[in-house]
Amino acid sequence: MKSKVFLIFIFLLISQKAWGETRVLIRMQEGGESSPSVLQGLSLNENSSFSQSNYLPATDVHVLEIEGSDDIPQELENFLNNSPEVLYWEEDKEIVSHYYPNDPYYERQWAGQDIEDFIGIESTWGLIRSAPDVSIALLDSGCDLNHPDLAPNLWTNPGEIASNQQDEDHNGYIDDYYGYDFVNRDSTPQDDNGHGTMVFGIMAAQGDNGQGIAGVVWDTNVLCLKVLNENEVGRLSFAIEAIEYAVNAGVDIINTSWGFADDQGGSPILEEAITLAQEAGIIFVASAGNNGTNNDPMGQGLANYPSSYQLDNIIAVAATDSHDTLADFSNYNELSVDLAAPGVGILTTAPGGYTYFTGTSASAPFVSGVAALLLSMNPQWGYQEVIEHLLVHTDYLPELEDKTLSQGRLNLYKATSTAQQAANDSLEGGSDSDGDQELVGFNSQVAGCQLQSQTQGQASTSYRCFYLMGLMLYIAQGLAFKRIAKEKNWGF
Ligand SMILES: [Ca+2]
Ligand SMILES: [Ca+2]
Ligand SMILES: [Ca+2]
Ligand SMILES: [Ca+2]
């Protein structure tokens, strides 16, 4: 099974060279040339030529397109490596979705039966189901904008009038009312593949509307940014531009159910874009990848990106199956993969209907959905508090002990019920928002332990409490490790 999955993954990597042209991303030195005029002196061999195809202002990146060559011409490579104006450059690599084609008949028998029990979804809905003030950017193959179970939850641009050929909000995108299509460069991020629509449904299909299914969150705002084409393949530059768009739109969460494998630490420019999201306080949820291997950021082998960047706003998600064990195809790592969530045979929306969906692509939107609920309950929480809270309130699975940072699988009810308690406490205890944000979670937990020990004196309560504290410290160490590794620029 594993080798079959691996072969399919390799096949996807090799076979889907979706783009005819080779492209490179160039990051100029700060204070250097603001346009690639530095390249004007360069001539390629007679068969190839190059032109600028895009400029991404927030990351100051020039996208260069090379015609007539399947590879980056040696002259260009030499030039870029030796030019003092170029800070760094990389190929505009392909990114691929983390959808795993399933065996429909067998897996349909399971879907929807045990999953509610595992993750406590129905109990969660008894507590909270809406996050109307939260917005989630979905960077994917687009959305079925006409799907009755999704349309009510589409983000809309308050500064833009649709379909009038004008750019009312002056953001450089004409008529971007429902987001943007970075693949075809138009204002309609309509899904021509289905992947984005499937991710959307798990995360945020409208509930209690007499239609189809209910997503984790029933009422929220999903910003559709199309970065994958009809074959579920995109480019780094699409994703980087979409992240810039999401940051400017002020979203709270970004969901990425795709990636690329790399043994050189991933794309530095994509990492820089995610750093912009981090600085804006955005939670970045990323699927861990489907090649069934260790995403070891310290090792020699391939790791999946963006999930393996050591940025503390990234929450990387592995997939569990119907037996509540790690799915064969799921990637894992004890530091870079944060937790697992169901990812096999999940019933969700598809363009014009419904389907079953498998892959770490299906796991990530469970986490994005519950992150939206947590933010809605505790709007004062920063991204670190949301992520720490989620990781501490998983269900421990022995198998995940050395395969995810939290050692556990998402439990919606544990996460939301304890967040509800935190919201109540914060209402009762008044504002302590002057405190160190990062430590708020810890302080209340330690205080909770003492309180429980004193008032109840029950050994079991104390053990549970101190176990939880220990786990929080362990996770905090892991998150701190990510921050330190990032600061010290260790070679991931
Ligand atoms: Ca606009
Ligand atoms: Ca307009
Ligand atoms: Ca379009
Ligand atoms: Ca529905």
Side-chain angles (χ1 to χ4, degrees), residues 151-466:
N153 286 338
L154 288 169
W155 174 95
T156 55
N157 184 346
E160 188 73 32
I161 297 166
S163 311
N164 67 350
Q165 320 300 320
Q166 305 286 321
D167 180 16
E168 279 83 6
D169 64 353
H170 307 292
N171 65 351
Y173 302 100
I174 294 166
D175 293 344
D176 55 324
Y177 185 69
Y178 287 119
Y180 200 73
D181 174 350
F182 296 95
V183 177
N184 305 297
R185 301 212 70 81
D186 64 49
S187 61
T188 316
Q190 182 64 34
D191 190 359
D192 50 10
N193 170 269
H195 187 269
T197 301
M198 295 182 215
V199 174
F200 192 158
I202 291 170
M203 189 165 71
Q206 192 181 38
D208 205 26
N209 63 345
Q211 298 269 2
I213 60 159
V216 172
V217 49
W218 293 6
D219 172 18
T220 191
N221 308 283
V222 177
L223 166 55
C224 297
L225 300 174
K226 183 168 168 64
V227 301
L228 301 176
N229 70 5
E230 69 276 19
N231 300 315
E232 292 172 40
V233 185
R235 272 198 192 272
L236 283 176
S237 57
F238 304 158
I240 291 162
E241 192 176 1
I243 292 169
E244 289 184 6
Y245 187 103
V247 169
N248 291 332
V251 302
D252 303 288
I253 299 161
I254 291 174
N255 189 96
T256 58
S257 287
W258 45 261
F260 64 98
D262 190 50
D263 60 0
Q264 305 290 319
S267 151
I269 297 176
L270 178 62
E271 185 175 15
E272 197 171 325
I274 301 170
T275 305
L276 292 176
Q278 179 196 41
E279 286 161 2
I282 298 171
I283 300 163
F284 194 99
V285 182
S287 51
N290 293 346
N291 40 336
T293 55
N294 189 357
N295 269 343
D296 186 358
M298 305 290 266
Q300 314 289 316
L302 290 170
N304 171 74
Y305 294 88
S307 69
S308 298
Y309 291 122
Q310 300 300 301
L311 290 168
D312 67 355
N313 65 323
I314 296 178
I315 181 161
V317 191
T320 47
D321 62 14
S322 58
H323 309 292
D324 208 16
T325 55
L326 191 71
D328 279 354
F329 57 76
S330 180
N331 290 14
Y332 54 86
N333 181 261
E334 63 183 326
L335 274 175
S336 72
V337 177
D338 292 282
L339 80 172
V344 177
I346 312 298
L347 182 63
T348 186
T349 46
Y354 297 87
T355 190
Y356 290 91
F357 189 34
T358 291
T360 53
S361 279
S363 307
F366 277 103
V367 173
S368 293
V370 73
L373 294 176
L374 294 180
L375 275 176
S376 188
M377 291 169 130
N378 289 286
Q380 77 283 8
W381 277 7
Y383 73 85
Q384 288 151 330
E385 286 160 297
V386 174
I387 292 175
E388 282 178 10
H389 186 89
L390 269 176
L391 298 194
V392 167
H393 295 97
T394 55
D395 282 333
Y396 168 79
L397 298 179
E399 192 201 8
L400 296 179
E401 199 168 295
D402 55 356
K403 290 186 170 169
T404 64
L405 179 65
S406 68
Q407 314 182 347
R409 187 247 313 120
L410 179 72
N411 185 311
L412 297 177
Y413 186 63
K414 267 191 191 174
T416 51
S417 56
T418 48
Q420 179 75 62
Q421 190 57 46
N424 293 344
D425 290 350
S426 116
L427 281 178
E428 285 163 17
S431 168
D432 58 0
S433 57
D434 292 333
D436 183 346
Q437 267 204 336
E438 253 175 72
L439 293 176
V440 167
F442 275 102
N443 292 342
S444 61
Q445 204 61 48
V446 172
C449 273
Q450 286 166 345
L451 193 67
Q452 283 177 338
S453 309
Q454 282 165 7
T455 56
Q456 299 181 7
Q458 287 174 8
S460 62
T461 307
S462 296
Y463 280 137
R464 224 176 21 242
C465 192
F466 285 107

